Each structure stands twice: as C-alpha cells, then as structure tokens.
Amino acid sequence: MSEKRKLSIGITVNLENYENLKVEVEGEAKDDRDAGELIEYLDSVLSRLGRNDPETKKKIDSYRRRVLENPGEPVITNIVEEETYPAPEIPQTPAEPAIPVSEPAQEKPLPEEKPVENTGFTCSSCGRPISKAEEQLSQIFMGRSLCKKCLEEMQK
C-alpha cells in the first residue's frame, strides 16, 4: 500500500446516566505503521480521560482492554500479507422451535344475532334491517347506514 489513505477511528464509550464519551482520531496512513501510530494516539488520549471518577475510569479502561491490543504499549505492526481461505461450509439443519407449539385455540362460536325490531333502517350494503344505534354509529363513521358486520368489514 504505497499511496496515502485517510484513516479515521471513532469510538463512543457509554458512561451511563445519559452520558457518552466520543473520541475520534484521523490522519493519513500510507502503511500499517502509520495506522498503528493513530491507534497509539487514541490509546494515549483515552488514558488521560475520566481519571477523576473511578467509575468513569473503569468504563474507559474496560474499553481499552477489550478493543485495543496491549493498551498503554506501543503498537507493533508487521507488514505481512496473509493468505486467506474461505471458511468451510457447515451444513444447516433445521432448528427445533425453542418454544413448544401449543394446540391452536378453538374458536368460540359467535353469538347468534338477535333479531332487530323493525325500525325502518336497513343496511345499504346487505339490505338487513338495523337498529337505530347501528344506523347512527355507521352514519358517524362511514356516512351511510350499515349493519355492524358490514361496518366492521369496511373498516378493515
């Protein structure tokens, strides 16, 4: 890699209590050594933050241990190209469901519709007689006279 490239490393450490520490370093890197210097610089900046509060220091140092290689030590880079091989394919077997499948719920029979007294109102969709309350409700929602069943179907 002989040409210079721009390298940007940004991190956010969650400090809890709606607080985050965001640090970003950026620079040109013509090789792995330059990239290593940027990582060292990031580590040195992190090593100076949060020192006044033990909990904050603990969280930042935890990040440094988990993410950075040998925090606090110079980064040694080897410019060696490694040959990569594709990962072997692992046959997939169908997974068993984690939650046992229960019997489907049996549907409850619908209550029989009560015959409507002759109010003079009929459903404009199916022609059934409807109550005054159904007529008023359907007029409010749909602007026309509908039975409960037709009103529910039109609202879907």
Side-chain angles (χ1 to χ4, degrees):
M1 182 171 24
S2 61
E3 62 187 65
K4 287 187 177 185
R5 295 181 183 204
K6 188 174 185 179
L7 177 64
S8 176
I9 304 170
I11 65 141
T12 302
V13 178
N14 182 357
L15 303 175
E16 296 180 2
N17 299 321
Y18 301 102
E19 296 176 328
N20 292 306
L21 172 65
K22 186 172 183 173
V23 179
E24 185 172 322
V25 294
E26 184 177 297
E28 289 186 2
K30 65 179 177 187
D31 56 25
D32 286 348
R33 188 170 306 270
D34 289 344
E37 288 176 6
L38 279 173
I39 294 169
E40 282 180 43
Y41 180 66
L42 172 65
D43 183 36
S44 72
V45 169
L46 289 172
S47 71
R48 291 177 283 180
L49 298 173
R51 301 299 121 177
N52 294 335
D53 179 54
E55 284 300 309
T56 302
K57 178 183 183 295
K58 182 178 168 183
K59 288 180 175 97
I60 294 170
D61 289 343
S62 171
Y63 171 85
R64 291 173 66 211
R65 280 190 306 277
R66 285 183 297 107
V67 177
L68 302 175
E69 183 179 38
N70 302 320
E73 296 179 20
V75 177
I76 301 170
T77 58
N78 296 328
I79 305 173
V80 176
E81 291 187 23
E82 294 182 14
E83 197 170 334
T84 58
Y85 299 97
E89 289 189 29
I90 300 171
Q92 296 289 328
T93 57
E96 296 281 330
I99 301 171
V101 179
S102 61
E103 294 290 320
Q106 294 194 5
E107 293 183 24
K108 295 179 183 176
L110 296 174
E112 292 183 25
E113 293 182 19
K114 297 177 185 172
V116 178
E117 295 178 24
N118 189 356
T119 58
F121 300 110
T122 57
C123 176
S124 62
S125 182
C126 69
R128 280 195 228 155
I130 59 174
S131 68
K132 184 176 181 182
E134 284 178 309
E135 197 276 335
Q136 290 174 342
L137 187 64
S138 65
Q139 284 292 339
I140 291 171
F141 287 109
M142 302 301 284
R144 55 191 256 207
S145 299
L146 295 169
C147 67
K148 183 178 178 181
K149 184 177 177 184
C150 292
L151 179 64
E152 288 172 352
E153 285 180 16
M154 290 195 173
Q155 288 181 334
K156 290 182 182 177

